[in-house]
Amino acid sequence: MEEIIIIGSGCAGMGAAIYCARAGTNPLVLEGSQPGGLLTTTSDVENFPGFPEGINGFELVWRMREQAQKFGARIENVAVASVDFSGEVKKITTTDGNVLEAKKIIIATGSAPRMTGAKGEAELYGGRGVSACATCDGAFYRGKDVVVVGGGDTACEEANFLTRFCSSVKIIHRRDEFRASKIMSDRVLSNEKIEPVWDSVLEEVLKDDNGVCRGVIVKNLKTGELREIACACVFVAIGHVPNTKAFVGAVDMDADGYIKAKDNTIVRTNVDNVFVAGDCSDRVFRQAITATSMGCMAGILATQH
Ligand code: NAP
């Protein structure tokens, strides 16, 4: 039986792994289907303390991983299908059918991009002109016109990033002002390659004869008007949903699937010896530094006797 199993390998999982490993518990990290988590899909992280020049998201989380391994964390390429936390021994069934046992668990499974559900979106997702990651896919659209959907920091960051490659970027937002921080909004509004399309939502992603995106139809929510915009790709950036399906019924969650912390403990769940860290429980801050810090807290508590 393992002493501690950490589920997830993003900032939260790695923050926990560093603290658990340094405490001599030889933790096992199940890295899940996205090794390194969502941060690996980010370009420059400018607000993680200690890197005044910024650091690439992938590099940041990979350095955390090396740090955890240096102190004895073991990382396995395994994903979780279901769990049984009802007994003293916590049980995890992996997607390949193995059952793992541990005294303590830290859940750090992060979140996944939310999609709009517009017609054609799911069909063209993943290589045919609908993407949820400009950092991953932006370079494929060099010299093309693209659109971004959303009005938060992610949408603004992605729109700015895409102007490095693309001829034009239209940013489709359902209101007439961005939710993003002022610095990110200002960058978008002053970038001459970006044009905001206010008060509008994605209705449909259109495909050409080869089955790839040729444009979108957007609807103006104030006038009801439909408008066709030609584009080679749609980057959807409207927030995230927590990766917590495997834990339904095992720990308390809110109505949207975020794992709830017990009382004001931040990282303790309602189940003894089961802790949580990062974006699978945090719908407010969602930063690399806050996820890493939650991992630290969970790691400290999990290594106390
Ligand atoms: P977010 O702040 O929740 O913004 C989501 C955006 O998508 C909002 O503008 C929202 O519109 C829109 N939206 C949500 N559901 C929609 C739907 N079904 N159809 C159309 N539009 C929809 O998410 P985020 O931008 O991913 O940011 C998440 C967190 O990460 C935030 O705390 C953010 O500050 C942080 N972040 C920080 C940085 C950075 O500091 N460099 C970079 C990226 C993200 P409304 O505005 O109308 O609600």
Side-chain angles (χ1 to χ4, degrees), residues 60-305:
L60 177 59
V61 77
W62 233 250
R63 287 173 74 157
M64 293 183 192
R65 185 182 174 104
E66 282 168 15
Q67 199 170 348
Q69 286 173 314
K70 177 178 141 189
F71 293 112
R74 293 161 295 138
I75 302 176
E76 287 186 10
N77 184 240
V78 164
V80 172
S82 63
V83 297
D84 178 357
F85 294 157
S86 57
E88 201 138 299
V89 175
K90 309 302 174 203
K91 293 184 181 159
I92 293 171
T93 303
T94 65
T95 48
D96 45 16
N98 291 325
V99 178
L100 305 172
E101 295 183 344
K103 292 182 191 162
K104 294 175 183 175
I105 302 285
I106 298 174
I107 303 170
T109 45
S111 60
R114 175 184 289 124
M115 303 305 284
T116 68
K119 191 175 170 197
E121 179 188 63
E123 187 190 340
L124 302 187
Y125 182 71
R128 286 192 286 162
V130 177
S131 168
C133 177
T135 317
C136 320
D137 300 329
F140 297 127
Y141 299 96
R142 195 173 290 276
K144 307 271 186 190
D145 301 315
V146 298
V147 304
V148 172
V149 184
D153 277 322
T154 304
C156 289
E157 192 171 79
E158 299 220 328
N160 267 310
F161 175 77
L162 286 164
T163 59
R164 294 188 199 176
F165 314 100
C166 304
S167 302
S168 76
V169 180
K170 289 195 172 58
I171 180 163
I172 299 162
H173 182 36
R174 63 186 177 182
R175 293 187 293 127
D176 62 2
E177 62 176 356
F178 290 128
R179 173 177 297 280
S181 54
K182 188 170 179 332
I183 184 170
M184 299 300 284
S185 309
D186 288 349
R187 276 185 204 170
V188 162
L189 296 171
S190 63
N191 188 326
E192 56 190 25
K193 278 181 147 185
I194 304 176
E195 181 193 324
V197 179
W198 301 119
D199 300 313
S200 297
V201 292
L202 189 65
E203 279 284 291
E204 183 174 353
V205 186
L206 305 167
K207 62 180 174 184
D208 66 13
D209 293 342
N210 297 318
V212 297
C213 173
R214 66 172 176 82
V216 291
I217 296 176
V218 297
K219 180 179 182 179
N220 185 304
L221 293 174
K222 286 195 171 151
T223 63
E225 181 201 348
L226 296 175
R227 170 182 172 189
E228 187 172 322
I229 299 172
C231 64
C233 189
V234 186
F235 292 90
V236 180
I238 59 168
H240 294 85
V241 287
N243 294 324
T244 54
K245 267 196 193 132
F247 310 103
V248 171
V251 288
D252 277 356
M253 295 177 187
D254 70 13
D256 295 323
Y258 288 90
I259 295 174
K260 284 204 227 173
K262 189 171 87 174
D263 306 323
N264 290 320
T265 57
I266 306 178
V267 295
R268 280 189 203 276
T269 70
N270 63 310
V271 181
D272 280 350
N273 293 324
V274 178
F275 305 88
V276 67
D279 290 6
C280 62
S281 83
D282 170 23
R283 60 159 76 238
V284 179
F285 301 104
R286 308 176 50 83
Q287 303 295 299
I289 184 174
T290 49
T292 312
S293 305
M294 290 172 80
C296 155
M297 290 184 242
I300 289 174
L301 292 182
T303 51
Q304 282 174 352
H305 294 291

